[in-house]
Protein backbone atom coordinates (compact mmCIF):
# COMPACT_ATOMS: atom_id res chain seq x y z
CA UNK A 1 0.00 0.00 0.00
CA UNK A 2 0.92 3.65 -0.37
CA UNK A 3 2.63 5.27 2.54
CA UNK A 4 1.12 8.48 3.92
CA UNK A 5 4.26 10.44 2.85
CA UNK A 6 3.95 9.44 -0.83
CA UNK A 7 0.21 10.10 -0.82
CA UNK A 8 0.75 13.63 0.60
CA UNK A 9 3.36 14.49 -2.05
CA UNK A 10 1.11 13.24 -4.81
CA UNK A 11 -1.84 15.31 -3.52
CA UNK A 12 0.37 18.40 -3.28
CA UNK A 13 1.64 17.95 -6.87
CA UNK A 14 -1.90 17.45 -8.20
CA UNK A 15 -3.11 20.50 -6.30
CA UNK A 16 -0.26 22.64 -7.67
CA UNK A 17 -0.92 21.43 -11.21
CA UNK A 18 -4.61 22.27 -10.86
CA UNK A 19 -3.72 25.91 -10.14
CA UNK A 20 -0.57 26.37 -12.24
CA UNK A 21 -1.66 24.71 -15.50
CA UNK A 22 -4.58 27.09 -16.24
CA UNK A 23 -2.35 30.11 -15.62
CA UNK A 24 0.35 28.73 -17.89
CA UNK A 25 -2.18 27.89 -20.60
CA UNK A 26 -3.65 31.39 -20.44
CA UNK A 27 -0.18 32.93 -20.69
CA UNK A 28 0.64 30.84 -23.77
CA UNK A 29 -2.66 31.68 -25.47
CA UNK A 30 -2.18 35.42 -24.85
CA UNK A 31 1.52 35.40 -25.79
CA UNK A 32 0.92 33.84 -29.20
CA UNK A 33 -2.18 35.97 -29.94
CA UNK A 34 -4.40 32.91 -30.16
CA UNK A 35 -7.30 34.72 -28.47
CA UNK A 36 -9.47 37.06 -30.52
CA UNK A 37 -11.60 39.23 -28.24
CA UNK A 38 -15.24 39.60 -29.16
CA UNK A 39 -16.74 42.93 -30.17
CA UNK A 40 -20.41 43.67 -30.60
CA UNK A 41 -20.04 47.01 -32.34
CA UNK A 42 -20.40 47.12 -36.11
CA UNK A 43 -18.66 50.44 -36.74
CA UNK A 44 -15.05 51.46 -36.18
CA UNK A 45 -14.35 53.02 -32.78
CA UNK A 46 -12.63 56.41 -32.86
CA UNK A 47 -10.05 57.30 -30.27
CA UNK A 48 -10.05 60.66 -28.44
CA UNK A 49 -11.40 62.90 -31.19
CA UNK A 50 -13.79 65.67 -30.22
CA UNK A 51 -15.19 68.89 -31.59
CA UNK A 52 -12.69 70.85 -29.48
CA UNK A 53 -9.76 68.87 -30.98
CA UNK A 54 -11.14 69.68 -34.44
CA UNK A 55 -11.48 73.43 -33.72
CA UNK A 56 -15.25 73.47 -34.03
CA UNK A 57 -18.18 74.36 -31.80
CA UNK A 58 -20.70 71.61 -31.10
CA UNK A 59 -23.75 72.30 -33.33
CA UNK A 60 -26.15 70.36 -31.04
CA UNK A 61 -24.72 70.32 -27.50
CA UNK A 62 -26.00 67.68 -25.10
CA UNK A 63 -27.48 65.59 -27.94
CA UNK A 64 -26.39 62.44 -29.76
CA UNK A 65 -25.53 63.21 -33.37
CA UNK A 66 -25.06 61.49 -36.71
CA UNK A 67 -22.68 63.40 -38.96
CA UNK A 68 -22.46 63.24 -42.73
CA UNK A 69 -20.65 65.63 -45.03
CA UNK A 70 -22.48 66.49 -48.22
CA UNK A 71 -20.14 66.10 -51.22
CA UNK A 72 -19.72 68.60 -54.05
CA UNK A 73 -21.77 66.36 -56.36
CA UNK A 74 -24.54 64.31 -54.76
CA UNK A 75 -24.98 61.29 -57.02
CA UNK A 76 -26.89 58.06 -56.47
CA UNK A 77 -24.65 56.92 -53.60
CA UNK A 78 -25.06 60.23 -51.79
CA UNK A 79 -28.85 60.24 -52.28
CA UNK A 80 -29.02 56.65 -50.98
CA UNK A 81 -26.94 57.69 -47.98
CA UNK A 82 -29.29 60.58 -47.18
CA UNK A 83 -32.31 58.28 -47.49
CA UNK A 84 -30.65 55.63 -45.27
CA UNK A 85 -29.85 58.32 -42.69
CA UNK A 86 -33.50 59.40 -42.64
CA UNK A 87 -34.75 55.82 -42.36
CA UNK A 88 -32.19 54.98 -39.66
CA UNK A 89 -33.38 57.93 -37.62
CA UNK A 90 -36.99 56.76 -38.02
CA UNK A 91 -35.99 53.22 -37.00
CA UNK A 92 -34.80 54.48 -33.62
CA UNK A 93 -38.46 54.71 -32.56
CA UNK A 94 -38.90 56.29 -29.14
CA UNK A 95 -35.24 57.31 -29.07
CA UNK A 96 -35.58 59.57 -32.12
CA UNK A 97 -35.66 62.72 -30.04
CA UNK A 98 -32.28 61.84 -28.48
CA UNK A 99 -30.45 61.70 -31.84
CA UNK A 100 -30.06 64.46 -34.44
CA UNK A 101 -28.75 63.96 -37.96
CA UNK A 102 -26.44 66.81 -38.91
CA UNK A 103 -25.37 67.30 -42.50
CA UNK A 104 -22.08 69.16 -42.78
CA UNK A 105 -22.26 71.62 -45.66
CA UNK A 106 -19.33 73.65 -47.01
CA UNK A 107 -19.06 75.99 -50.00
CA UNK A 108 -18.65 73.14 -52.52
CA UNK A 109 -21.55 71.00 -51.23
CA UNK A 110 -24.50 70.17 -53.48
CA UNK A 111 -27.28 71.52 -51.26
CA UNK A 112 -29.97 70.78 -53.85
CA UNK A 113 -29.85 67.15 -52.66
CA UNK A 114 -31.29 68.18 -49.29
CA UNK A 115 -34.70 69.10 -50.70
CA UNK A 116 -37.28 66.72 -49.32
CA UNK A 117 -35.20 65.95 -46.21
CA UNK A 118 -35.50 67.57 -42.81
CA UNK A 119 -31.89 67.60 -41.59
CA UNK A 120 -30.02 70.09 -39.46
CA UNK A 121 -27.08 71.59 -41.37
CA UNK A 122 -23.81 73.01 -40.07
CA UNK A 123 -20.55 74.27 -41.50
CA UNK A 124 -17.60 72.02 -40.57
CA UNK A 125 -14.14 73.18 -39.59
CA UNK A 126 -11.32 72.30 -41.96
CA UNK A 127 -10.14 69.44 -39.71
CA UNK A 128 -13.62 67.93 -39.39
CA UNK A 129 -14.17 68.26 -43.13
CA UNK A 130 -10.96 66.30 -43.78
CA UNK A 131 -11.99 63.61 -41.30
CA UNK A 132 -15.47 63.21 -42.79
CA UNK A 133 -14.02 62.87 -46.30
CA UNK A 134 -12.36 59.66 -45.14
CA UNK A 135 -15.08 58.34 -42.82
CA UNK A 136 -18.45 59.15 -44.27
CA UNK A 137 -20.75 58.58 -41.26
CA UNK A 138 -19.79 59.42 -37.67
CA UNK A 139 -21.67 59.04 -34.37
CA UNK A 140 -21.03 61.83 -31.85
CA UNK A 141 -21.90 61.58 -28.16
CA UNK A 142 -23.60 64.37 -26.16
CA UNK A 143 -20.25 65.62 -24.84
CA UNK A 144 -18.97 66.26 -28.37
CA UNK A 145 -16.67 63.24 -28.71
CA UNK A 146 -16.65 61.43 -32.04
CA UNK A 147 -17.34 57.84 -31.02
CA UNK A 148 -17.78 55.60 -34.05
CA UNK A 149 -17.39 55.84 -37.81
CA UNK A 150 -18.75 53.92 -40.77
CA UNK A 151 -16.85 53.80 -44.08
CA UNK A 152 -18.30 54.47 -47.50
CA UNK A 153 -20.61 51.73 -48.80
CA UNK A 154 -20.76 51.62 -52.60
CA UNK A 155 -23.94 49.76 -53.52
CA UNK A 156 -27.49 50.14 -52.26
CA UNK A 157 -27.62 46.78 -50.47
CA UNK A 158 -24.39 47.51 -48.59
CA UNK A 159 -25.79 50.87 -47.50
CA UNK A 160 -28.94 49.20 -46.20
CA UNK A 161 -26.81 46.78 -44.17
CA UNK A 162 -24.72 49.67 -42.92
CA UNK A 163 -27.90 51.49 -41.87
CA UNK A 164 -28.97 48.44 -39.86
CA UNK A 165 -25.54 48.28 -38.24
CA UNK A 166 -25.72 51.99 -37.43
CA UNK A 167 -29.13 51.60 -35.77
CA UNK A 168 -27.94 48.58 -33.78
CA UNK A 169 -24.88 50.46 -32.50
CA UNK A 170 -26.92 53.56 -31.71
CA UNK A 171 -29.48 51.55 -29.75
CA UNK A 172 -26.70 50.03 -27.63
CA UNK A 173 -25.11 53.43 -27.04
CA UNK A 174 -28.43 55.03 -26.14
CA UNK A 175 -29.31 52.16 -23.80
CA UNK A 176 -26.01 52.51 -21.94
CA UNK A 177 -25.92 56.31 -21.97
CA UNK A 178 -26.99 58.30 -18.99
CA UNK A 179 -26.67 61.64 -20.73
CA UNK A 180 -28.35 63.03 -23.82
Amino acid sequence: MNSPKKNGKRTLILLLLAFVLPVMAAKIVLSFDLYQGGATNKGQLLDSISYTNLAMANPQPQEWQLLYQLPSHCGAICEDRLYILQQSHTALGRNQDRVHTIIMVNQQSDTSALTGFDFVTATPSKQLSQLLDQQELVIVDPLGSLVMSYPIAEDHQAQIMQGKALVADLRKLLKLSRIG
Side-chain angles (χ1 to χ4, degrees):
M1 295 217 158
N2 288 338
S3 70
K5 264 189 172 180
K6 281 188 174 181
N7 199 13
K9 284 183 182 180
R10 189 172 139 205
T11 304
L12 179 63
I13 290 172
L14 287 174
L15 190 61
L16 283 174
L17 285 176
F19 287 102
V20 173
L21 277 178
V23 173
M24 287 176 42
K27 175 68 176 164
I28 289 170
V29 166
L30 292 175
S31 296
F32 292 112
D33 290 326
L34 300 174
Y35 174 73
Q36 300 298 324
T40 60
N41 59 304
K42 315 275 192 292
Q44 178 183 358
L45 292 172
L46 298 175
D47 191 29
S48 65
I49 301 174
S50 68
Y51 279 127
T52 55
N53 295 0
L54 299 171
M56 184 175 166
N58 190 342
Q60 292 279 337
Q62 303 301 318
E63 300 287 338
W64 285 92
Q65 304 164 27
L66 286 173
L67 299 183
Y68 176 66
Q69 181 167 306
L70 200 61
S72 58
H73 173 67
C74 192
I77 293 173
C78 170
E79 289 175 5
D80 278 349
R81 180 60 57 110
L82 291 171
Y83 179 74
I84 296 295
L85 277 171
Q86 183 182 33
Q87 294 302 312
S88 297
H89 188 261
T90 304
L92 289 173
R94 63 186 170 111
N95 289 320
Q96 284 180 18
D97 57 337
R98 294 178 68 188
V99 180
H100 297 282
T101 303
I102 300 176
I103 305 299
M104 294 294 169
V105 179
N106 54 27
Q107 293 85 6
Q108 296 85 16
S109 296
D110 181 13
T111 56
S112 64
L114 292 177
T115 56
F117 294 106
D118 187 29
F119 293 131
V120 176
T121 59
T123 304
S125 66
K126 185 177 180 181
Q127 297 92 335
L128 181 61
S129 182
Q130 290 171 349
L131 179 75
L132 290 176
D133 274 344
Q134 299 166 359
Q135 302 166 351
E136 288 291 313
L137 281 178
V138 175
I139 296 175
V140 181
D141 73 2
L143 300 176
S145 297
L146 282 70
V147 178
M148 202 171 294
S149 68
Y150 298 85
I152 299 169
E154 295 298 325
D155 65 337
H156 183 70
Q157 191 63 30
Q159 286 198 38
I160 290 173
M161 296 309 292
Q162 194 175 57
K164 288 180 181 180
L166 176 77
V167 170
D169 286 344
L170 263 173
R171 282 187 177 148
K172 286 177 197 165
L173 288 169
L174 291 170
K175 181 178 179 182
L176 297 172
S177 173
R178 294 185 180 161
I179 53 175

